[in-house]
Amino acid sequence: LMRSSAASDVYKRQVLIIHGSEDKIVDLSYAKRAREAYVQCQLRVVMGAGHGFSKKDDETAIPWMRDFLSESF
């Protein structure tokens, strides 16, 4: 994906992607490629997390979501 992709042509708002570093279902490289497709995109990686976050992972990801929402809207 490149910035000139259909995604960035259509969606110009801020995007937050949260991805587990140990995801065995969707490789982290896909999140990195998606980050490049959007003009305003943050990629946050939960170290050690898989595809479905555990309670411990939620404790990492939820503050990122709160910050993103409070800064973006």
Side-chain angles (χ1 to χ4, degrees):
L1 296 174
M2 297 172 59
R3 282 247 159 92
S4 62
S5 72
S8 65
D9 291 342
V10 174
Y11 195 80
K12 303 282 186 197
R13 294 181 134 177
Q14 295 183 33
V15 174
L16 172 64
I17 299 171
I18 300 176
H19 201 99
S21 66
E22 302 303 315
D23 191 331
K24 302 293 187 224
I25 296 172
V26 179
D27 191 78
L28 181 57
S29 65
Y30 287 94
K32 291 177 179 178
R33 287 176 57 202
R35 175 186 57 198
E36 297 303 316
Y38 294 100
V39 176
Q40 300 182 70
C41 184
Q42 297 177 43
L43 170 60
R44 302 290 228 137
V45 178
V46 180
M47 298 310 295
H51 189 72
F53 295 164
S54 69
K55 180 168 176 52
K56 179 180 141 265
D57 302 328
D58 289 346
E59 292 170 0
T60 300
I62 289 172
W64 292 342
M65 289 183 259
R66 283 189 189 126
D67 290 347
F68 174 78
L69 292 171
S70 67
E71 293 167 6
S72 301
F73 300 99

